[in-house]
Amino acid sequence: MFICKRVTDLQQYLLTAKKQGKDIGFVPTMGALHEGHLSLVHASRAVTSCTVVSIFVNPKQFNDPADLEKYPRPISRDLQLLYDSGADVVFHPEVHDMYPPGDKTSIEFDPGPLAEPMEGLFRPGHFKGMAEVVYRLLEMVKPDRLFMGQKDFQQVAIVRAMIDYYKMPIELVMSPTMREPNGLAMSSRNVRLSESARERAGLISSVLQQGKIEMDNGKKFSEIRASAWQQLQNAGFEIDYFDIVNGHTLKALQDGEFPDYIVACCVIRLEGVRLLDNMIWRDNG
Ligand code: AMP
């Protein structure tokens, strides 16, 4: 496994790999890896001949300095996990490698309405920072395929729009969310939950699943949303949002609308930790 911090080392390695006819799969992460991240590595290894994983905690996408500070960074453990899962390259730059002093490169892509609801409301500036770092990483790696998790559904929608905007020759693959046995979506932030909170948080995926059943039985979105909200609140969770949206536009659905792509997305807060989850309720696209 080739490990590097500097962009020039990464590019030199990839030049050789591409000359050898290898196709490149890319998995961008912020480290503190778990089975969810590793599932993306496996997905990449299954269809490409060189898998590049980046580990970079991007300060620009944190609007809360305390969250950035507390973000776990177990680099030796991460490297071991990536070695064991068969990654070919790990790129883990420092902040000054990604954003050299004086470099004012900014991207003109504007995610527009895709970045406005949900995370956009609760984390101002988050998607601008995310898009900027993903753009820089894609320019450095120039992968054939990019692997991202459905867990961050809004993020995937924005990156897809950015790839289309720049007409980048990259296939974006969205991989399913890996979950704990109780249904809790795996996340690097879960380590900050107490054992009992981690157990109780399984309710989020049950509520999402139940909502789909209710939709299939003809219940109105407004009623499904109200009952989901009630159950989560009764369990003592704080709710940032529980939105049922058109998966293409991310616009909240009104009763009676029934597009071919329907996704329920939510964030609840428990012990000060934001837990993000979603479920695709309909995909006839
Ligand atoms: P992060 O390190 O949180 O930026 O995540 C890096 C990538 O892993 C993103 O594409 C995430 O959507 C994906 N990811 C995070 N958690 C999961 C999960 N539980 N299952 C699948 N993919 C995930």
Side-chain angles (χ1 to χ4, degrees):
M1 186 170 80
F2 179 67
I3 303 171
C4 60
K5 271 181 184 298
R6 290 178 34 210
V7 182
T8 44
D9 294 337
L10 172 74
Q11 285 176 327
Q12 201 162 12
Y13 180 96
L14 290 177
L15 199 66
T16 310
K18 283 174 191 175
K19 270 193 197 141
Q20 290 167 347
K22 294 191 173 162
D23 56 343
I24 312 293
F26 180 41
V27 180
T29 81
M30 297 203 298
L33 304 178
H34 50 67
E35 282 302 322
H37 298 111
L38 300 179
S39 72
L40 300 178
V41 175
H42 296 312
S44 171
R45 288 195 66 211
V47 292
T48 63
S49 45
C50 176
T51 293
V52 180
V53 180
S54 65
I55 298 179
F56 179 62
V57 182
N58 176 30
K60 290 199 182 195
Q61 70 190 67
F62 284 79
N63 49 321
D64 175 1
D67 192 27
L68 173 62
E69 174 94 356
K70 279 188 284 184
Y71 204 84
R73 293 168 172 85
I75 187 72
S76 322
R77 180 176 171 276
D78 284 351
L79 292 176
Q80 185 64 51
L81 286 170
L82 290 173
Y83 179 80
D84 293 342
S85 65
D88 298 285
V89 181
V90 181
F91 176 51
H92 68 114
E94 301 290 342
V95 173
H96 59 80
D97 296 308
M98 284 308 288
Y99 304 109
D103 180 343
K104 294 203 170 48
T105 315
S106 71
I107 57 170
E108 64 181 33
F109 165 73
D110 174 3
L114 289 177
E116 283 165 15
M118 304 195 285
E119 290 303 278
L121 286 177
F122 286 86
R123 304 182 68 189
H126 166 70
F127 285 126
K128 189 171 182 297
M130 181 282 293
E132 192 171 324
V133 78
V134 172
Y135 177 83
R136 283 178 186 233
L137 287 166
L138 293 179
E139 281 298 290
M140 291 168 185
V141 178
K142 296 204 182 297
D144 299 284
R145 291 190 170 101
L146 169 64
F147 295 84
M148 301 188 91
Q150 182 199 316
K151 165 144 184 301
D152 297 277
F153 189 83
Q154 193 170 11
Q155 169 170 284
V156 176
I158 291 170
V159 170
R160 176 168 291 125
M162 182 170 79
I163 287 175
D164 286 351
Y165 178 87
Y166 288 110
K167 299 190 171 45
M168 292 170 162
I170 299 172
E171 184 192 334
L172 174 54
V173 180
M174 183 170 79
S175 274
T177 303
M178 295 292 119
R179 299 177 180 280
E180 308 275 357
N182 72 349
L184 173 64
M186 290 181 177
S187 161
S188 308
R189 290 184 173 88
N190 292 355
V191 295
R192 286 165 31 199
L193 291 173
S194 68
E195 196 60 40
S196 90
R198 210 162 164 149
E199 242 158 63
R200 287 193 295 133
L203 179 69
I204 305 167
S205 69
S206 320
V207 168
L208 284 165
Q209 259 163 354
Q210 189 189 324
K212 181 193 177 331
I213 295 168
E214 290 173 347
M215 178 190 79
D216 291 341
N217 289 337
K219 197 165 173 179
K220 288 183 185 161
F221 289 133
S222 56
E223 289 171 8
I224 299 174
R225 189 167 181 268
S227 102
W229 200 281
Q230 195 67 56
Q231 288 181 69
L232 293 165
Q233 239 168 15
N234 288 349
F237 300 167
E238 288 178 77
I239 307 162
D240 278 1
Y241 58 85
F242 188 103
D243 287 358
I244 304 166
V245 303
N246 180 320
H248 300 295
T249 62
L250 306 189
K251 277 210 177 104
L253 294 174
Q254 306 299 316
D255 291 338
E257 285 184 280
F258 208 66
D260 60 3
Y261 200 14
I262 299 176
V263 188
C265 303
C266 65
V267 166
I268 70 110
R269 272 176 292 130
L270 202 50
E271 298 181 337
V273 182
R274 288 185 90 239
L275 300 172
L276 177 81
D277 204 350
N278 67 73
M279 208 162 276
I280 298 175
W281 285 358
R282 183 167 202 246
D283 184 5
N284 283 357

